[in-house]
Amino acid sequence: MLWGLALLLLCEVSLQPSANAVKVCGRPPLIENAEMEDDRRVFEAGEETFYTCKPGYKTTGGSRKVVCTLSGAWSRPTLKCSRKSCPVPGPLLNGQIQFPVDISFQSVVNFTCHEGYVLQGAHTSQCQHDGTWSQPLPVCETVTCGLPDIPQYGLIHHTKKITGNTTQFGDVVKYECSPPYALFGNEFGSCQANGNWTKPPECKIVTCPFPSGIPSGFMTFAVVRDYGYREKIKYGCNPSFIPDGPLEIQCEKTGNWSAKPVCRASCIIDIRRGRIFYSSKKIWIEDLPEKRVQHSEHVAFYCKNEEKKCGYPVVTQCVDGTLNIPECFKEPGAVEYKLNYKSLPSEIKMC
């Protein structure tokens, strides 16, 4: 009987929960880009612990603290960790920086130099955990060349003052040959991005044979001989002729002379009576010396509109000895010209 009562009491005790049993928490949940300050694996109810952002990240919201609750679960973590930013590098003088989408921890920028410049320093740099760049900004140094070769029988004109035996990318020189040598190739040379000068031209001797004369003209003080490159000869025109084109010709690099002038004839105005408009004024034909105008000059003759009883000018031009008088022009008779000249088309009201 006593044994049974003891067994019943033992069973009742084992089935009733203990009032002193306490639940515990394991390690807190992981948070992106954060780590725990406490590395314990078990925490008692009511204990708290703290997160901290990993190197390269910074707190951008929430709380660092979490608490182990009586139920054995952690309070909800709210900490937000974002990448740290680095300052914008540059500018890179005579170069270019290629940026990623954002400039933050672990981002990489690339450095390149423009044509004619060489990069001295690192080609890339990475944003570090402390917000600084792993490499300093490089320098784009100008490519240098030596001095350009001087063509045989030629000389060089530098566009800027040169010091020492080096030149820089973009420097330009002008080549010139000493007569009677002519320049064949590029007149200008430049220091290139590869550190070499462009190919210099050649100076070759050039001569032109003695030129022929021109109709109605003459050469001035010309000696019969061969002439060198850029040598010149002058022409002139006979009286009553004027030159059409430059009077001076030059021996060119092709071995030929430049274009010769043409002597153009003046024109005689073949009327005895009348008034014309010439050289910006009205002139009676007898007052025009020799009744002559020069090649390419314009002359206006006056015609009459019979219906409206008014005069009007018609312009014509002297072309190498030929001047066409307008068909509408009527040369007045001697009596009309002397006694009634005010009725001429040139003197009446203009249309």
Side-chain angles (χ1 to χ4, degrees):
M1 185 68 178
L2 292 175
W3 177 85
L5 180 59
L7 181 62
L8 180 61
L9 291 173
L10 180 62
C11 290
E12 185 178 350
V13 171
S14 62
L15 292 174
Q16 193 171 20
S18 172
N20 297 325
V22 178
K23 293 188 177 181
V24 295
C25 298
R27 288 186 62 79
L30 296 177
I31 295 180
E32 186 178 11
N33 304 322
E35 56 190 10
M36 298 301 304
E37 292 185 351
D38 195 323
D39 60 357
R40 288 183 295 163
R41 294 184 177 275
V42 178
F43 294 81
E44 294 183 2
E47 283 193 299
E48 58 185 35
T49 188
F50 294 86
Y51 292 96
T52 186
C53 293
K54 292 180 180 179
Y57 296 85
K58 61 182 179 180
T59 301
T60 55
S63 172
R64 296 178 54 237
K65 183 175 69 173
V66 287
V67 179
C68 178
T69 65
L70 294 176
S71 63
W74 287 100
S75 60
R76 185 173 66 87
T78 60
L79 180 65
K80 301 293 183 183
C81 294
S82 301
R83 293 175 184 267
K84 288 183 178 179
S85 297
C86 284
V88 178
L92 180 58
L93 188 63
N94 300 315
Q96 179 178 325
I97 303 175
Q98 295 175 329
F99 294 98
V101 176
D102 62 3
I103 304 177
S104 57
F105 175 54
Q106 295 182 328
S107 296
V108 175
V109 293
N110 297 286
F111 305 109
T112 56
C113 292
H114 296 155
E115 182 183 22
Y117 296 87
V118 178
L119 192 142
Q120 299 295 331
H123 288 74
T124 62
S125 186
Q126 187 175 44
C127 180
Q128 302 180 108
H129 66 85
D130 59 356
T132 63
W133 290 100
S134 61
Q135 299 293 336
L137 194 70
V139 176
C140 290
E141 293 185 352
T142 308
V143 170
T144 58
C145 299
L147 296 177
D149 294 331
I150 302 175
Q152 188 177 15
Y153 309 114
L155 50 92
I156 288 177
H157 298 284
H158 289 272
T159 57
K160 73 175 188 180
K161 185 177 180 180
I162 301 298
T163 303
N165 296 324
T166 59
T167 52
Q168 293 185 327
F169 169 73
D171 284 351
V172 175
V173 296
K174 182 179 180 182
Y175 297 99
E176 186 177 319
C177 295
S178 303
Y181 292 88
L183 187 146
F184 290 84
N186 291 322
E187 182 181 4
F188 293 92
S190 62
C191 173
Q192 302 177 100
N194 61 6
N196 298 318
W197 279 89
T198 51
K199 183 179 178 181
E202 293 184 73
C203 293
K204 299 179 181 179
I205 193 165
V206 172
T207 59
C208 295
F210 185 71
S212 59
I214 57 174
S216 304
F218 54 89
M219 283 183 279
T220 60
F221 307 107
V223 179
V224 179
R225 62 176 175 83
D226 285 344
Y227 285 75
Y229 173 59
R230 287 187 177 176
E231 282 196 282
K232 298 177 181 179
I233 288 181
K234 290 185 177 180
Y235 285 89
C237 289
N238 296 336
S240 300
F241 290 83
I242 63 170
D244 185 0
L247 284 174
E248 194 171 67
I249 63 173
Q250 179 175 279
C251 179
E252 299 182 325
K253 67 192 306 182
T254 58
N256 300 314
W257 290 94
S258 58
K260 300 174 186 176
V262 177
C263 292
R264 305 291 186 185
S266 59
C267 297
I268 299 296
I269 299 179
D270 192 18
I271 62 172
R272 291 177 296 172
R273 293 177 288 275
R275 201 173 191 185
I276 60 173
F277 189 84
Y278 170 68
S279 189
S280 302
K281 60 185 177 180
K282 281 184 175 181
I283 300 176
W284 296 106
I285 191 64
E286 59 266 27
D287 293 332
L288 181 66
E290 299 182 354
K291 297 183 181 180
R292 188 185 300 276
V293 295
Q294 299 298 327
H295 165 73
S296 79
E297 289 186 320
H298 291 85
V299 178
F301 291 80
Y302 291 94
C303 300
K304 185 176 182 180
N305 185 318
E306 295 293 346
E307 181 180 352
K308 297 181 178 181
K309 304 300 181 182
C310 57
Y312 61 94
V314 178
V315 179
T316 185
Q317 185 180 26
C318 173
V319 180
D320 198 12
T322 301
L323 185 145
N324 296 315
I325 298 175
E327 292 182 1
C328 64
F329 174 77
K330 306 298 181 183
E331 185 173 338
V335 175
E336 181 185 11
Y337 190 60
K338 289 290 185 181
L339 302 179
N340 196 24
Y341 66 89
K342 290 186 178 181
S343 66
L344 297 178
S346 61
E347 308 309 305
I348 63 176
K349 179 184 66 174
M350 292 293 102
C351 297

